[in-house]
Amino acid sequence: YLLITDTSRPNDTPTSPSQNNTEDRNLDAKDLKFQLSLKTEMMSNIPIIRSLPYVTSSRVWAAYTQQSYWQIFNSKASRPLRENDYEPEIMLSLGIDNQVDGVKKSYIPRLLNLGFVHQSNGRSNPVSRSWNRVYLESGFELTERLSLMVRPWWRVPESQDDNPDIEKYIGYGNITLRWEDDKRKNAVSVLLRNNLRSDNKGFAQVDLQRQVFNNPYLKLHVMLSSGYGETLLDYNHSQNIFGLGISLGE
């Protein structure tokens, strides 16, 4: 997807407990935000797993996501690409039969993903950020139009840590609630994170989507987000962001 975004609070001087930084980047509040996500199947119909109860399919996927922020309107700073987040991952994905005696049960997930993901901004100190996680994701069909994804994760410990307190802001997982109309032309997705601590730091994003030109692979997006972790470098920085743009493919 491709979005024009506007933030209430640019993170001019990003820091972390292990990375002091005094350089002021003099950022513009507007970015051109774009993301590319790819996924390919590495293995399917896996022995042993395919014979487990309720399992209807088993696949191993490799995936890659890159999310970038371009200061295209910041002519004074020569329009730099201010941030790139790289996220390769590998996952085992299981399709699940959620029927009991021929009746669908919404509390039984239709999908289970077990994955390992690395995320890094590829920068040098003092603005280097990275972490590794293992996650278990469950997908539920609550109704014909409403679905829920629940993804808790565990951070893999590191000896050299650029962001040792990242879980205090990003938390230990996220949930995504998605609604589609019966013709799949309009959709709303809500993404939520929370650190599950008394200080209650979190992140919320609402994504309004509408199919355009009667093309299922071309959608108009209006996004609103608030909280910590818009990017990996912004993991401990809170801001409100409005975005407008399009997505290609799905």
Side-chain angles (χ1 to χ4, degrees):
Y1 62 75
L2 187 70
L3 301 172
I4 301 294
T5 64
D6 190 7
T7 177
S8 64
R9 187 169 166 251
N11 190 9
D12 286 320
T13 312
T15 62
S16 84
S18 61
Q19 300 289 353
N20 293 324
N21 180 33
T22 58
E23 181 181 355
D24 191 331
R25 300 188 294 172
N26 295 312
L27 297 176
D28 190 271
K30 295 182 177 60
D31 278 310
L32 180 64
K33 174 184 176 180
F34 54 95
Q35 177 175 307
L36 173 67
S37 296
L38 305 170
K39 185 172 72 170
T40 185
E41 185 179 293
M42 306 293 289
M43 186 184 302
S44 63
N45 200 22
I46 302 169
I48 301 177
I49 295 178
R50 64 190 176 197
S51 60
L52 293 175
Y54 297 103
V55 174
T56 60
S57 64
S58 57
R59 296 179 174 90
V60 174
W61 297 88
Y64 174 77
T65 293
Q66 180 174 324
Q67 188 167 267
S68 300
Y69 296 78
W70 185 9
Q71 289 268 285
I72 194 171
F73 304 103
N74 194 352
S75 58
K76 293 181 180 179
S78 192
R79 311 180 198 276
L81 269 170
R82 71 166 178 88
E83 183 71 349
N84 296 290
D85 285 342
Y86 310 101
E87 194 168 347
E89 64 183 299
I90 188 166
M91 73 190 83
L92 169 65
S93 183
L94 304 180
I96 305 296
D97 181 6
N98 69 340
Q99 295 190 33
V100 178
D101 297 328
V103 179
K104 290 184 178 180
K105 302 296 183 179
S106 60
Y107 58 83
I108 299 177
R110 291 284 287 125
L111 176 74
L112 285 175
N113 291 330
L114 176 63
F116 173 82
V117 56
H118 168 78
Q119 188 179 28
S120 170
N121 65 356
R123 305 280 292 276
S124 58
N125 294 335
V127 290
S128 172
R129 303 288 187 271
S130 67
W131 64 332
N132 299 305
R133 289 169 289 166
V134 176
Y135 66 84
L136 178 64
E137 186 174 45
S138 302
F140 301 86
E141 290 181 347
L142 303 181
T143 69
E144 291 295 327
R145 301 180 186 179
L146 192 63
S147 61
L148 175 67
M149 302 292 286
V150 180
R151 185 173 72 150
W153 59 61
W154 173 74
R155 186 188 182 187
V156 179
E158 299 177 57
S159 56
Q160 295 183 339
D161 197 341
D162 297 326
N163 30 257
D165 60 342
I166 191 169
E167 290 166 303
K168 293 181 180 179
Y169 297 89
I170 303 296
Y172 305 91
N174 60 35
I175 63 172
T176 303
L177 188 66
R178 178 180 173 85
W179 173 88
E180 291 183 328
D181 66 11
D182 54 353
K183 295 183 179 180
R184 298 184 180 275
K185 290 190 175 183
N186 300 286
V188 180
S189 294
V190 179
L191 171 68
L192 300 172
R193 289 197 304 261
N194 194 275
N195 64 355
L196 304 178
R197 295 168 183 252
S198 59
D199 54 2
N200 195 35
K201 291 180 171 62
F203 178 85
Q205 177 179 279
V206 178
D207 179 12
L208 308 176
Q209 307 167 25
R210 179 172 176 82
Q211 188 183 118
V212 292
F213 304 123
N214 205 31
N215 185 334
Y217 302 109
L218 181 62
K219 294 181 180 179
L220 176 68
H221 289 255
V222 177
M223 287 190 186
L224 297 168
S225 67
S226 179
Y228 295 88
E230 169 67 19
T231 71
L232 192 54
L233 193 57
D234 296 332
Y235 81 89
N236 56 0
H237 177 80
S238 181
Q239 57 191 316
N240 302 317
I241 296 177
F242 171 78
L244 178 66
I246 60 171
S247 65
L248 302 172
E250 185 167 358

